[in-house]
Amino acid sequence: MATTGLPESISSDLSRVTQSLQMLAPRWNVWVLLTLSQKPLRYREIKSALPWLPDGQLHPRLGKLTESGLLERTEFEPQDVLYGLSVRGRELLPVLGVIAAWGGKHLEKETVLDPATGHRVPKAVPRAQDIEDTIALIAPRQATPILWALRVRGTSSAKALAATAMPERHLTNVYQPLNRLAEDFLVTKDREGRVELTAAGRDLAPVYQSLSAWAAGAPLSEAASHPVWAPTPVQPQDRPAVWVTTQPRIPAVPTPQARPAWKPGDLFFSHTTTVVRPAGAPTTGGRTR
């Protein structure tokens, strides 16, 4: 468990969450889990659903997810293997839905022209991509400890933040992950170097609440009472927001020309959203998908 300056109970919780993120972070893991979200499938069926993923990448991911306890493997013959979500894997699906909701709201999207209205609207994005890109922001080493420390401390200097999030490491080690979080609009720094969470960073509360509950084996109904990410009074309004962004992680995946509105349980595709880039925001902000 990574050492932090947070209370032991919070550090233990944080460790479970970061381990869960590391389990989900490898590229395509989320796609595999969502492919199996409806029913167990044989290897060839999974391969057909993820045609861009070669055997050399699909087979190891199935093995790792099985070892982690998220998948169950049933072998009928050497070339006839059935994969399905385990109980823990099925319990993870609502958590992935919460992560997808954050990504759908905050991750930058390409806009396309809506023929019906003549307005530009965000292009539909596979929900697995929203989940994977969100995890890519918070899974890197020290990212989540820094975000948790900021949630506890509020506005903080980098030095005090380093002492809380990574006390066994040199102070200067905080700047690289902190700068990345600033580039991704999860934290903001003022001219005096003091740091605080942005609105997007504070909106990670449901993500961390649900991850914490799942990692501890607790029901999601208890998630909102999290000791760090429990609801707090409304914060002062930020300056005009920009969408959080992240580097490309996957090649273009063919998607249907038209997509119905998202329904509960439909985890693969983002629902139609009316969120658009704020007026006056830069064409791109930081990293893009």
Side-chain angles (χ1 to χ4, degrees):
M1 181 178 72
T3 302
T4 71
L6 297 168
E8 184 178 352
S9 60
I10 294 178
S11 291
S12 298
D13 184 18
L14 172 60
S15 180
R16 289 192 296 267
V17 168
T18 55
Q19 289 171 10
S20 298
L21 287 170
Q22 292 305 311
M23 182 169 53
L24 296 171
R27 186 184 297 183
W28 306 118
N29 275 8
V30 169
W31 291 79
V32 171
L33 291 171
L34 296 191
T35 299
L36 295 168
S37 62
Q38 299 301 317
K39 63 179 182 179
L41 297 173
R42 285 175 164 76
Y43 182 91
R44 62 180 178 273
E45 295 172 314
I46 303 172
K47 174 69 175 170
S48 177
L50 304 173
W52 61 87
L53 192 57
D55 288 336
Q57 295 186 37
L58 176 57
H59 191 271
R61 278 154 183 76
L62 290 169
K64 288 290 187 182
L65 290 170
T66 301
E67 291 175 6
S68 69
L70 298 180
L71 296 184
E72 293 176 340
R73 181 181 187 275
T74 304
E75 183 173 339
F76 300 100
E77 298 177 5
Q79 300 300 319
D80 187 10
V81 180
L82 186 71
Y83 290 92
L85 294 181
S86 66
V87 172
R88 286 292 283 158
R90 289 193 297 273
E91 291 172 345
L92 181 63
L93 292 179
V95 179
L96 296 181
V98 173
I99 298 173
W102 187 93
K105 178 180 179 181
H106 291 287
L107 290 176
E108 183 180 45
K109 297 175 179 64
E110 179 184 354
T111 60
V112 294
L113 187 65
D114 182 352
T117 64
H119 298 147
R120 298 195 68 83
V121 297
K123 185 177 180 179
V125 173
R127 291 182 71 77
Q129 183 175 334
D130 270 339
I131 297 167
E132 192 169 77
D133 288 346
T134 298
I135 292 173
L137 295 178
I138 60 178
R141 183 177 178 84
Q142 304 301 339
T144 283
I146 288 174
L147 293 170
W148 282 46
L150 267 179
R151 177 72 173 192
V152 171
R153 296 187 60 89
T155 304
S156 174
S157 67
K159 181 178 180 180
L161 187 59
T164 303
M166 41 200 297
E168 293 187 342
R169 306 192 56 156
H170 193 274
L171 165 65
T172 56
N173 289 324
V174 78
Y175 290 108
Q176 182 175 351
L178 193 56
N179 288 338
R180 173 170 177 171
L181 290 170
E183 290 169 3
D184 291 332
F185 302 106
L186 295 178
V187 306
T188 183
K189 296 185 288 185
D190 62 22
R191 293 182 178 179
E192 286 71 39
R194 297 185 66 80
V195 186
E196 64 180 342
L197 294 173
T198 63
R202 294 193 297 271
D203 276 355
L204 284 168
V207 171
Y208 283 132
Q209 288 170 3
S210 58
L211 278 169
S212 172
W214 178 82
L220 292 188
S221 59
E222 300 178 4
S225 60
H226 193 274
V228 174
W229 293 93
T232 57
V234 176
Q235 299 282 346
Q237 186 174 359
D238 287 335
R239 57 178 175 270
V242 292
W243 279 349
V244 177
T245 54
T246 185
Q247 287 284 15
R249 287 171 57 79
I250 62 172
V253 179
T255 57
Q257 293 297 315
R259 189 74 190 177
W262 177 78
K263 304 179 292 300
D266 181 5
L267 287 174
F268 254 105
F269 285 87
S270 296
H271 61 286
T272 303
T273 175
T274 58
V275 176
V276 295
R277 182 182 297 278
T283 303
T284 57
R287 296 177 172 86
T288 57
R289 288 186 194 262

